Amino acid sequence: MSAVSTSPQFKRNAHEALRDANLQQALGMVRLGFIDKRQAVVDKLPEFDALRDSAREIKNHTLAHLDLYLERYEKKVQEAGGQVHFARDAEEARGLILEICRKAGAKTVTKGKSMISEEIGLNAHLEANGVTPVETDLGEYIIQLRNEGPSHIIAPAVHLTKAQIESDFRRVHTHLDPTRDLSEPRSLLTEARGVLRQKFLAADVGITGANFLIAETGTSIIVTNEGNGDLTQTLPKVHIVLASIEKMVPTLEDVSQILRVLARSATGQEMSVYTTFSTGPRRAGDPDGPEQYHVVILDNGRSNMLGGEFQDMLRCIRCGACMNHCPVYHAVGGHAYGWVYPGPMGAVLTPTLIGVDKAGHLPNASTFCGRCESVCPMKIPLPKMMRHWREREFERHLMPAPMRYGLGLWAFFARRPALYRLTTRAAMWSLSKLGRSKGRFKSLPFAGGWTKYRDFPAPQGDTFQAQWAKRKRAA
Amino acid sequence: MSVEGQPRVGLFVTCLVDLIRPSIGFAAAKLLEDAGCRVEVPAQTCCGQPAFNAGDRDTARAIAAQTIAAFEPYDYVVAPSGSCAGQISKHYPELFAGDPNLAPKANALAAKTYELISFLTDVLGVESVKAHFDGTVTYHDSCSGLRELGIKAQPRKLLGSVAGLSLVELQESEVCCGFGGTFSVKYGEISDKIVSEKTARIGKTHAATLLAGDLGCLMNMAGKLKRQGSAVQVRHVAEVLAGMTDEAPIGEGKQSA
Amino acid sequence: MTSARDDLFANLRRSLSVTGTERIRVAEVEERLAEAPLGVIPARGQLDAAGRLALFKAMAEAASATVTEVESPEAVPQAVAAYLRDHNLPATLRMGSDPRLAAMPWRDTSLEIASGRSDGHDLNAISHAFGAVAETGTLVMTSGADNPTTLNFLPDNHIVVLSAADVGGDLESVWPKLRKALGKGAMPRALNMVTGPSRSADIEQTLFLGAHGPRSLHIVLVKDAASAG
């Protein structure tokens, strides 16, 4: 079992999200912030598209040889004095991490931002077993205070307004002066810095994710802006890296290519502030750094995606560009998707991880506008893969009955051109008579999903094919 | 009236144009004929995209096979829709990949299929049209045409040659209108939110007319604008380029225009 | 645990339809690891020495770092003292045991120097960079007693000395230099690429400097190539 899912209630989630004024205000800010900044840095790098191709080829090569690169990576970590642990699923990964924490006698662990940690529901498991996890990324810290999951893979608190955050800080930071001014984002940031600085220094174990693992050197990489990830992994005695199998890249040169497209696609930066390469524990003569370095490598269904129609999804580097450019994400935000990964990448990944029977709405709730694929730094064909999920659903008869019958009826005529022309001609002729004066319908019995929100333009009259034939006969 | 060297174009009119707004089909035919093509309309239904996007590949393949056969004789196949042209030129080959009999035919059809406006400019080299349209228009870039086929400059180029017309750019014109075929019905509430954002931006242009190259998107935006009581008139770009704007705008009655 | 590992690899290989012993695959992997082929290198990463320095400065400043140029290593202490004074910061400084820093005439200033790792209570620290990347204005720091990693993150104000000769054009230029220093396939415990001071935009997409790491990053660029490490 992983994090709890409300994906089956996507429609209800979306309905509530559309009526949540705070959320809609926050989402209004997402839209232009991310999109314009990304475009500006992309425009400054003429090689950007060539780098996308390069990045895609690197990951394709790596995935095709993943077993061999993982073996090499493991060997190199061990040579550097680190330990590698493999976990088949979420439960195994949680167990491994708890075990390491227990051996270290850990009471509190600081955490850098990690989506895999969300995926395996790590915090709840640690807490239930007497270990207190402290999220240190500002956004993650905020949502931890609220007992919420992230609504975005790189900006976890993007669904909140500063007024909401202020009220959370006042609720939780009761040791601070209640009359302090927290009206500006800067003062909230300063307060979080002060509170978390103490946690960093007191933590027994630090847990981070990894943006990449490098086979050549046995290195894990984190890419951050705040510096929290570095404090998390540098100060405690034990550093645990939690990463999934597809984070692998062969060499330092390879990761350099992908780093160029990552920050630009994610936050519109030329380079994130901190790109940190970690290789093993503290060495002889080192004055700082962890004494133990563990890597927990998680599969959790990913190896099943190799060699199949969803393999391309394993190229994903979690930049968030797809959701930043998604009209559906803009409308309903990340929580509506109901599990860890929202937006287009979530619509492809979530059914793999929790089952298409639970997450079937996600690949369906897309207009296929293709903007996600057009900005994906790894050129993942996201709409195509959402369509593959629809195919799986269709094969398993998971499509809702009215939709199935409607499409079936339409298909029946579309496959019989003569009958189609006859029937549609009659239908359009009568519809046009009904709608002639206004030119549109306020409601139609078979199209309530449409006419509840907008008018339906009336047909002009005779079909084009009928009129064309008439015209040809007259000529 | 076949003339040596005159391209023989099969007009794939699209099911929506066939049923809802034939005047777009006639506008397309006029533009093609004016550009020197011989236009023919073989019996046709739909490109099969609804089935394809619903995950029903068997039905999608059956309909596609029908289209492949019907349009085999033509030099070119042209559709007044980026979405349907994209289905044929980008997705038919995908549907028949590995099929020794139909894959070559699907690829051949894909290679000669174009969206109307880009066919006029990119293949026929049309630089301008002889049309007149008084007023300010704005233009929505429909997603499939824009991102699958790269249609962005072509309609603007030809609209620039229409006498009396002035184009005001629509903010975020590349953002989806929320139509998405059956999405607009299955997820009507989300679709409504997306189209409402679109109509708000349309309002900000103060243009009297909204144009686009896909009837699905146009019906969605017109339907919302009319529900909101907007006076903005909505037309397919081909109607304006062909100078055929006598028909009432989309979603308006015969008298109201 | 062994069985989890074996299962995971078995599943991977089943999906990929491989055994893991195919000579061609193994050779492809060995070749890639040995040769580490270059990908696309942006034109802006391929400038001459003067162009690199100018670009490095511009990019670092665009990332909200500040840059001072000095003519020689001997001029660094005065430049650092002036920076701290100009910013009303106390005349304190923590540093590691980097011989290049140690050789500088700190006694000529009134700075109070502390040495070793930071425990989180230092306002100012200074490190010597291993190198830098012009295309993004990025500093490359390596861990060890010379330049403890904690100095990169805990102090409020981080000052980094960078030899002009160590500024590479592109990101990839770091790796041959590192392999030359440490050997192929070896890495320092931590290699920190730092591009500007720490920041967060997690609240309403409003960007503010000084999240958990330094609030300011000041780079002292030493033109004299003699100190190149």
Side-chain angles (χ1 to χ4, degrees):
Chain A
M1 197 209 94
S2 309
V4 180
S5 163
T6 66
S7 302
Q9 294 102 56
F10 172 79
K11 275 193 172 181
R12 194 199 308 159
N13 295 346
H15 176 79
E16 284 162 16
L18 288 164
R19 266 150 199 77
D20 181 337
N22 277 321
L23 174 65
Q24 291 300 325
Q25 187 194 332
L27 287 172
M29 290 179 268
V30 176
R31 185 173 308 191
L32 293 175
F34 279 115
I35 293 173
D36 292 354
K37 281 187 219 158
R38 174 192 169 277
Q39 193 61 52
V41 289
V42 166
D43 289 345
K44 278 191 223 162
L45 189 68
E47 296 87 354
F48 186 76
D49 210 48
L51 282 159
R52 289 171 72 201
D53 287 332
S54 172
R56 176 182 59 187
E57 291 316 310
I58 288 166
K59 272 286 186 186
N60 283 348
H61 165 83
T62 313
L63 291 170
H65 300 84
L66 189 55
D67 52 329
L68 299 175
Y69 283 120
L70 269 172
E71 281 178 345
R72 175 59 62 95
Y73 169 79
E74 179 188 28
K75 181 165 161 270
K76 294 299 291 186
V77 174
Q78 289 164 349
E79 280 175 19
Q83 300 175 54
V84 181
H85 315 264
F86 290 92
R88 283 168 291 202
D89 54 27
E91 189 184 348
E92 269 182 7
R94 290 193 301 258
L96 284 165
I97 291 169
L98 181 63
E99 185 63 22
I100 298 167
C101 290
R102 279 189 172 149
K103 276 191 186 151
K107 289 191 176 58
T108 66
V109 305
T110 41
K111 292 185 66 210
K113 206 179 111 40
S114 157
M115 290 309 295
I116 306 288
S117 161
E118 303 285 347
E119 177 182 326
I120 67 170
L122 180 60
N123 285 1
H125 186 69
L126 291 176
E127 261 170 297
N129 288 281
V131 179
T132 307
V134 179
E135 294 290 349
T136 63
D137 170 84
L138 180 58
E140 287 280 346
Y141 177 69
I142 293 165
I143 61 168
Q144 191 183 24
L145 295 184
R146 299 172 60 85
N147 200 21
E148 285 178 350
S151 68
H152 188 288
I153 60 171
I154 68 157
V158 78
H159 58 289
L160 299 171
T161 63
K162 66 175 192 287
Q164 289 173 293
I165 298 164
E166 176 182 349
S167 98
D168 290 321
F169 276 24
R170 290 195 188 284
R171 175 172 56 81
V172 176
H173 300 158
T174 47
H175 61 292
L176 298 173
D177 178 5
T179 64
R180 67 196 188 280
D181 180 17
L182 286 179
S183 55
E184 285 308 309
R186 178 180 289 285
S187 52
L188 294 167
L189 180 64
T190 306
E191 180 161 314
R193 178 184 169 108
V195 170
L196 283 168
R197 186 53 73 95
Q198 301 314 311
K199 308 275 188 190
F200 283 124
L201 295 166
D204 306 299
V205 173
I207 301 175
T208 67
N211 292 86
F212 306 98
L213 305 174
I214 304 179
E216 178 194 0
T217 53
T219 299
S220 59
I221 296 184
I222 58 169
V223 178
T224 71
N225 276 319
E226 297 183 6
N228 66 302
D230 288 281
L231 292 174
T232 297
Q233 67 177 43
T234 307
L235 299 177
K237 285 202 171 79
V238 178
H239 176 201
I240 304 173
V241 179
L242 173 57
S244 48
I245 54 172
E246 82 280 15
K247 300 292 176 186
M248 191 60 58
V249 287
T251 66
L252 293 163
E253 276 72 7
D254 290 328
V255 84
S256 305
Q257 295 285 296
I258 306 178
L259 282 170
R260 282 203 185 84
V261 295
L262 172 58
R264 289 180 172 91
S265 302
T267 51
Q269 287 168 286
E270 303 270 354
M271 184 91 176
S272 300
V273 177
Y274 302 115
T275 302
T276 297
F277 297 65
S278 301
T279 313
R282 187 188 290 213
R283 295 179 186 171
D286 274 1
D288 48 21
E291 288 161 18
Q292 291 177 37
Y293 176 82
H294 298 268
V295 186
V296 174
I297 296 185
L298 175 71
D299 184 339
N300 212 21
R302 288 168 174 80
S303 58
N304 295 332
M305 295 165 73
L306 285 169
E309 57 195 347
F310 297 108
Q311 173 168 321
D312 288 344
M313 191 60 217
L314 294 175
R315 288 203 301 268
C316 177
I317 54 173
R318 307 290 190 266
C319 71
C322 60
M323 56 198 77
N324 293 340
H325 291 77
C326 176
V328 175
Y329 181 93
H330 288 162
V332 300
H335 284 158
Y337 290 80
W339 200 58
V340 175
Y341 301 103
M345 59 80 66
V348 176
L349 197 56
T350 306
T352 318
L353 298 177
I354 67 170
V356 71
D357 50 330
K358 290 201 187 71
H361 272 300
L362 274 47
N364 278 287
S366 163
T367 65
F368 281 168
C369 77
R371 210 175 178 204
C372 49
E373 181 177 357
S374 76
V375 296
C376 175
M378 305 305 287
K379 295 201 168 174
I380 299 171
L382 290 155
K384 181 177 169 181
M385 283 187 297
M386 286 184 232
R387 194 182 295 112
H388 286 326
W389 276 122
R390 298 183 188 186
E391 288 158 10
R392 296 269 180 104
E393 278 196 299
F394 187 84
E395 287 159 13
R396 292 175 54 186
H397 304 291
L398 291 174
M399 187 189 283
M403 199 51 80
R404 200 164 65 240
Y405 296 141
L407 273 167
L409 189 66
W410 163 85
F412 176 84
F413 287 106
R415 292 168 73 160
R416 291 164 179 81
L419 186 61
Y420 171 94
R421 282 200 306 279
L422 206 70
T423 320
T424 54
R425 191 178 179 189
M428 291 310 121
W429 186 83
S430 19
L431 264 182
S432 75
K433 292 280 170 245
L434 286 169
R436 171 176 284 170
S437 58
K438 289 255 190 261
R440 56 185 181 268
F441 298 98
K442 290 242 176 271
S443 72
L444 278 178
F446 51 86
W450 178 289
T451 53
K452 184 171 177 195
Y453 306 102
R454 63 223 121 167
D455 294 348
F456 190 89
Q460 284 174 324
D462 216 353
T463 65
F464 175 80
Q465 292 189 75
Q467 291 188 54
W468 181 267
K470 218 183 286 173
R471 192 174 103 166
K472 289 291 127 179
R473 276 195 301 274
Chain B
M1 61 170 269
S2 180
V3 177
E4 191 72 21
Q6 188 186 29
R8 193 175 164 214
V9 171
L11 180 61
F12 187 82
V13 74
T14 81
C15 59
L16 280 181
V17 167
D18 185 34
L19 305 184
I20 307 287
R21 199 161 171 86
S23 56
I24 296 169
F26 287 107
K30 175 173 189 297
L31 285 165
L32 290 166
E33 283 167 355
D34 286 355
C37 300
R38 197 176 109 202
V39 178
E40 295 179 36
V41 182
Q44 52 190 277
T45 62
C46 165
C47 66
Q49 192 182 141
F52 182 62
N53 283 347
D56 181 357
R57 281 178 92 95
D58 288 342
T59 301
R61 262 193 287 263
I63 296 171
Q66 220 170 256
T67 312
I68 290 170
F71 285 88
E72 205 162 15
Y74 303 101
D75 299 329
Y76 298 103
V77 177
V78 174
S81 157
S83 180
C84 309
Q87 175 69 18
I88 297 173
S89 66
K90 302 290 170 188
H91 299 301
Y92 276 16
E94 192 183 323
L95 271 173
F96 294 105
D99 181 329
N101 179 32
L102 279 168
K105 292 181 176 179
N107 294 340
L109 178 66
K112 65 180 184 183
T113 298
Y114 292 88
E115 179 276 339
L116 171 68
I117 311 301
S118 55
F119 178 72
L120 293 172
T121 58
D122 301 352
V123 179
L124 300 179
V126 173
E127 296 280 328
S128 61
V129 292
K130 288 196 190 71
H132 187 102
F133 186 85
D134 278 320
T136 312
V137 306
T138 192
Y139 188 85
H140 164 75
D141 293 288
S142 287
C143 297
S144 303
L146 176 71
R147 281 180 273 270
E148 285 188 340
L149 307 175
I151 298 165
K152 172 95 184 167
Q154 299 91 327
R156 288 169 175 78
K157 177 180 180 173
L158 294 190
L159 284 171
S161 70
V162 175
L165 180 149
S166 77
L167 176 73
V168 196
E169 282 297 338
L170 175 61
Q171 238 186 32
E172 298 183 66
S173 68
E174 300 190 356
V175 172
C176 180
C177 73
F179 174 59
T182 53
F183 172 88
S184 58
V185 180
K186 269 194 293 186
Y187 299 96
E189 198 179 3
I190 301 173
S191 174
D192 177 49
K193 166 72 176 171
I194 301 172
V195 74
S196 300
E197 303 272 350
K198 179 62 77 177
T199 55
R201 292 191 293 270
I202 292 167
K204 280 185 192 158
T205 65
H206 299 294
T209 301
L210 168 70
L211 303 177
D214 262 281
L215 183 54
C217 315
L218 287 163
M219 287 172 67
N220 182 43
M221 293 184 289
K224 190 66 200 177
L225 286 164
K226 295 306 124 186
R227 178 66 58 92
Q228 291 170 327
S230 165
V232 173
Q233 301 193 338
V234 182
R235 291 184 182 280
H236 192 283
V237 65
E239 300 173 46
V240 170
L241 294 177
M244 292 166 67
T245 52
D246 293 341
E247 286 283 339
I250 299 168
E252 296 189 21
K254 300 243 190 265
Q255 318 304 325
S256 69
Chain C
M1 225 160 68
T2 313
S3 84
R5 184 191 183 284
D6 292 349
D7 258 19
L8 194 152
F9 276 94
N11 207 24
L12 270 180
R13 291 187 164 125
R14 195 161 42 241
S15 292
L16 289 170
S17 308
V18 298
T19 63
T21 56
E22 295 87 349
R23 274 197 206 147
I24 294 180
R25 291 178 77 240
V26 172
E28 278 172 350
V29 164
E30 290 303 328
E31 187 186 324
R32 185 157 197 126
L33 290 170
E35 294 180 9
L38 285 175
V40 176
I41 307 298
R44 75 151 96 137
Q46 304 180 48
L47 305 177
D48 63 12
R52 279 204 299 274
L53 282 188
L55 180 62
F56 172 78
K57 268 190 70 175
M59 296 306 292
E61 285 168 356
S64 305
T66 50
V67 185
T68 310
E69 289 177 77
V70 297
E71 294 300 324
S72 71
E74 290 70 37
V76 170
Q78 290 299 343
V80 171
Y83 171 79
L84 295 175
R85 202 167 49 237
D86 293 348
H87 291 80
N88 292 319
L89 293 167
T92 60
L93 197 60
R94 178 169 289 276
M95 66 176 74
S97 59
D98 192 298
R100 293 165 295 187
L101 295 177
M104 294 171 182
W106 296 101
R107 290 212 178 83
D108 297 354
T109 67
S110 56
L111 293 174
E112 187 187 311
I113 310 278
S115 63
R117 60 166 286 168
S118 175
D119 64 358
H121 296 92
D122 304 293
L123 272 178
N124 313 319
I126 190 165
S127 310
H128 202 294
F130 172 81
V133 179
E135 64 168 306
T136 49
T138 300
L139 294 164
V140 180
M141 318 297 293
T142 50
S143 62
D146 287 1
N147 294 288
T149 305
T150 38
L151 301 196
N152 298 338
F153 297 101
L154 282 169
D156 276 19
N157 309 292
H158 191 209
I159 300 167
V160 177
V161 180
L162 170 67
S163 298
D166 292 339
V167 178
D170 56 313
L171 190 50
E172 282 82 344
S173 71
V174 175
W175 310 128
K177 205 175 139 189
L178 196 72
R179 288 182 188 123
K180 202 174 152 200
L182 299 177
K184 169 84 176 103
M187 287 286 278
R189 182 194 66 74
L191 182 142
N192 299 111
M193 293 192 170
V194 178
T195 312
S198 101
R199 66 200 61 192
S200 178
D202 271 352
I203 302 174
E204 293 191 347
Q205 277 79 67
T206 317
L207 183 69
F208 286 104
L209 299 182
H212 296 294
R215 297 169 200 266
S216 74
L217 175 69
H218 183 62
I219 300 165
V220 182
L221 186 61
V222 183
K223 287 182 178 167
D224 182 3
S227 70

